[in-house]
Amino acid sequence: MSTADSGPWWRGAVIYQVYPRSFADGGGDGVGDIAGIRSRLRYLSELGIDAIWFSPWYPSPMADAGYDVADYRDIDPVFGTLAEAEALISEAHALGIRSIVDIVPNHCSDAHPWFQAALAGGPDAPERELFWFRPGRGPNGDERPTDWVGEFGGPTWTRTVNPDGTPGDWYLHLFAPEQPDFNWDHPRVRAEFEDVLRFWFDRGVDGIRIDSAGLLVKDGTLPETRPDRPHPFRDQDGVHEIYRGWRRVADSYPGDRALIGEVWLPDRQRFANYLRPDELHAAFNFDFLGCAWDASALRESIDGTLHAHAPVGAPATWVLSNHDVTRHVTRYGRADTRFSFAAKREGIPTDLELGTRRARAAALLSLALPGAAYVYQGEELGLWEVEDIPYELRQDPMWERSGRVDPGRDGCRVPLPWAGDAPPFGFSPDGAAAGPWLPQPADWKDRTVRAQTGDPHSMLELYRAALAIRRSEAALGDGALTWLPAPDRVLAFAREPGFTCLANLSAAAVPLPGHERLLLASGPLDDDRLPPDTAVWLRTG
């Protein structure tokens, strides 16, 4: 955040996403953990981030890498203990780094005590009201209650077996069968999650990232999906009252506690509804994340984002990659540089040299835009998507549930390389009993933190320099921008006072505008000309 920014931290912060399984392994079992994160806090401090978002670390059978939560108030033993998590939050605060934890409110694990009681108690168990249990259709109840398609693809209902062994009711799961959906119409569910928020705020957490924030409320009449009427479980109006309650909880704590939603919506006005002054503080900008490396498309995305956020006074967020999407070094090296789950397939050719050059430019572009920026772990190292993970080692349920059409998300979750010339690249301690939980490419030897540190041409040093400038420049972080005249397929904008960002997405070098000083460039310049797929920060007054 700019040192001149006196507003709430979340309006202009640089937030670093830690995927705990893949960040650093302190225990030597090949799985990242809290001990590993604590050992690398100094690295994150020196990188220049303002906050860490921790992907789920709760007790879980790991049917979906921890997004199937069995207990929202504890830490899974594979990651450590609650005491270690509290120490991590405290140690991060001592370094000036805030903490954001991931809450998964749409569903839990089928190992959650509530769901286990719902199964054990049979059709009359009161806990069934906390979920979506329904009889099947057809004369024997053998048909699913609806034909809804799940977020991972495939059916959304699984039939139970009654305690006496007879076929029972069906339960709803928008994701995997091991992730039953909560019934948010029930007051006990609402009270439970407000208490979960208090539990983590009491431990010093500064923010809550809300997984699948737009899916909580369902149309209780269970209509089939049709294009001519509201979707039965996406962006139902009733979700907003839930977040008004969450906002009251957050506002009851001292300091600036933030609620940040994962909201996948193409309608920008509907998206902005989640950011009204009494609801969430911020939400992820998936429109920008999925945008093609194309000047007109990016400008439209930037303008549309800022326009949608302005009426509700919320800051925009800028995201290039996360734990669910193909890393942008890989995407930007393809003929089609957009991202969508529907188009994600194996075997798409990628030019990694081109993708890396564009990723460097995209870093400067995104970090110069008004609002908060998110950096997914390894993004600062220029890591690419690992696309050759052997089938038998893949763990993401999206791979199997798509009929092995979607390659899944394992490729962006491969453990980070820290040092050395061969796997595990310092991810685990020397002499570790097990290798990394997903295999690392041998070619990452040139992408380790140690290999890049001190190399002025490396991606890591580019990020370090950019984040240092962002902290020192009054123009950066929260605020506004003004577009400047520029050649075709070139993005140019000013941030006041005296800052200009230029990104050349054309096929030819373009002259730099008048300026006092070059602050940073994503790649070598051609005298006073900006080459293709290169961005620059300029002091202009």
Side-chain angles (χ1 to χ4, degrees):
M1 236 175 350
S2 165
T3 54
D5 184 0
S6 58
W9 64 272
W10 43 268
R11 295 193 64 90
V14 175
I15 300 168
Y16 186 95
Q17 181 189 357
V18 164
Y19 190 74
R21 293 178 66 85
S22 299
F23 186 72
D25 168 23
D29 61 358
V31 178
D33 49 34
I34 292 174
I37 300 170
R38 293 173 70 185
S39 73
R40 302 293 185 177
L41 277 178
R42 182 63 61 181
Y43 164 79
L44 294 175
S45 176
E46 293 172 354
L47 182 60
I49 64 165
D50 299 299
I52 304 171
W53 153 33
F54 300 103
S55 292
W57 51 14
Y58 311 107
S60 168
M62 300 294 170
D64 183 23
Y67 282 87
D68 48 320
V69 180
D71 184 348
Y72 291 84
R73 298 178 180 82
D74 204 351
I75 302 295
D76 193 286
V78 75
F79 299 130
T81 65
L82 182 58
E84 287 180 287
E86 292 170 339
L88 170 59
I89 294 165
S90 176
E91 290 162 7
H93 279 160
L95 292 171
I97 299 173
R98 300 177 189 266
S99 293
I100 300 167
V101 297
D102 207 323
I103 297 295
V104 187
N106 177 70
H107 51 265
C108 62
S109 166
D110 58 2
H112 191 285
W114 284 4
F115 192 72
Q116 286 294 302
L119 293 180
D124 296 326
E127 289 83 3
R128 293 205 170 195
E129 296 179 3
L130 307 176
F131 302 93
W132 288 91
F133 281 86
R134 292 292 185 274
R137 295 179 295 183
N140 299 313
D142 293 336
E143 301 174 27
R144 298 182 184 92
T146 72
D147 291 326
W148 294 352
V149 176
E151 300 298 290
F152 287 164
T156 56
W157 297 89
T158 292
R159 195 169 195 183
T160 63
V161 176
N162 291 324
D164 64 4
T166 60
D169 286 339
W170 300 70
Y171 68 88
L172 176 68
H173 50 84
L174 295 184
F175 293 85
E178 297 87 353
Q179 296 168 287
D181 279 38
F182 285 113
N183 173 16
W184 275 87
D185 293 334
H186 199 291
R188 187 176 171 189
V189 173
R190 300 193 180 210
E192 168 71 2
F193 275 91
E194 290 186 7
D195 191 66
V196 168
L197 298 188
R198 295 186 187 95
F199 179 89
W200 288 104
F201 284 145
D202 287 345
R203 277 148 187 80
V205 161
D206 303 281
I208 303 292
R209 182 264 186 185
I210 306 162
D211 181 72
S212 300
L215 300 181
L216 276 58
V217 174
K218 283 76 174 175
D219 183 336
T221 66
L222 302 184
E224 293 297 344
T225 304
R226 280 178 29 183
D228 60 340
R229 61 189 180 194
H231 197 281
F233 59 79
R234 292 180 186 155
D235 188 38
Q236 288 273 313
D237 288 339
V239 77
H240 297 287
E241 187 54 41
I242 294 169
Y243 294 131
R244 292 186 185 101
W246 286 30
R247 182 62 176 261
R248 289 190 290 270
V249 172
D251 288 349
S252 71
Y253 281 81
D256 297 314
R257 311 296 178 109
L259 302 173
I260 304 160
E262 181 194 26
V263 182
W264 292 84
L265 283 178
D267 185 319
R268 287 173 176 154
Q269 181 55 57
R270 299 287 299 184
F271 173 88
N273 287 344
Y274 289 77
L275 302 176
R276 289 175 288 203
D278 60 345
E279 295 189 43
L280 306 182
H281 298 83
F284 289 97
N285 185 355
F286 293 109
D287 184 80
F288 184 77
L289 180 152
C291 191
W293 184 247
D294 174 86
S296 61
L298 282 166
R299 178 159 177 171
E300 195 279 332
S301 178
I302 293 165
D303 282 341
T305 296
L306 296 176
H307 178 75
H309 285 70
V312 290
T317 65
W318 309 102
V319 187
L320 296 173
S321 286
N322 66 26
H323 65 291
D324 283 334
V325 308
T326 306
R327 284 189 178 272
H328 61 278
V329 163
T330 296
R331 300 198 314 265
Y332 287 160
R334 291 177 170 167
D336 184 351
T337 53
R338 296 170 297 175
F339 174 80
S340 74
F341 286 107
K344 188 152 62 80
R345 296 295 183 266
E346 290 190 279
I348 302 174
T350 297
D351 181 341
L352 289 179
E353 182 179 348
L354 175 63
T356 298
R357 186 162 66 249
R358 290 172 169 174
R360 292 174 65 91
L364 295 197
L365 173 65
S366 63
L367 289 169
L369 293 169
Y374 285 76
V375 176
Y376 176 49
Q377 64 178 41
E379 185 175 317
E380 80 280 13
L381 302 178
L383 300 186
W384 56 82
E385 187 84 357
V386 182
E387 299 185 283
D388 59 354
I389 299 172
Y391 293 167
E392 66 272 15
L393 298 180
R394 298 186 184 189
Q395 301 195 28
D396 183 12
M398 189 176 283
W399 159 243
E400 291 290 353
R401 286 183 63 80
S402 68
R404 298 193 170 189
V405 172
D406 187 320
R409 299 163 294 178
D410 290 324
C412 63
R413 299 175 177 183
V414 174
L416 297 191
W418 292 93
D421 295 324
F425 295 121
F427 171 72
S428 298
D430 292 341
W437 70 282
L438 286 173
Q440 300 161 304
D443 288 348
W444 276 5
K445 61 182 174 56
D446 298 323
R447 292 291 187 271
T448 68
V449 172
R450 181 174 297 172
Q452 296 194 52
T453 295
D455 177 358
H457 305 297
S458 71
M459 185 77 82
L460 177 57
E461 293 299 347
L462 176 71
Y463 268 81
R464 285 173 170 166
L467 296 187
I469 293 170
R470 183 179 165 106
R471 279 178 174 261
S472 65
E473 284 290 315
L476 296 181
D478 195 19
L481 67 73
T482 301
W483 290 107
L484 301 175
D488 186 43
R489 298 180 62 194
V490 174
L491 298 173
F493 58 87
R495 305 285 312 276
E496 295 300 333
F499 176 93
T500 293
C501 177
L502 202 72
N504 181 9
L505 283 73
S506 75
V510 298
L512 294 178
H515 59 280
E516 292 183 359
R517 183 161 61 94
L518 171 68
L519 295 175
L520 189 61
S522 67
L525 302 184
D526 181 7
D527 294 325
D528 282 333
R529 297 173 65 81
L530 186 66
D533 296 316
T534 308
V536 68
W537 289 358
L538 303 173
R539 159 70 56 235
T540 53

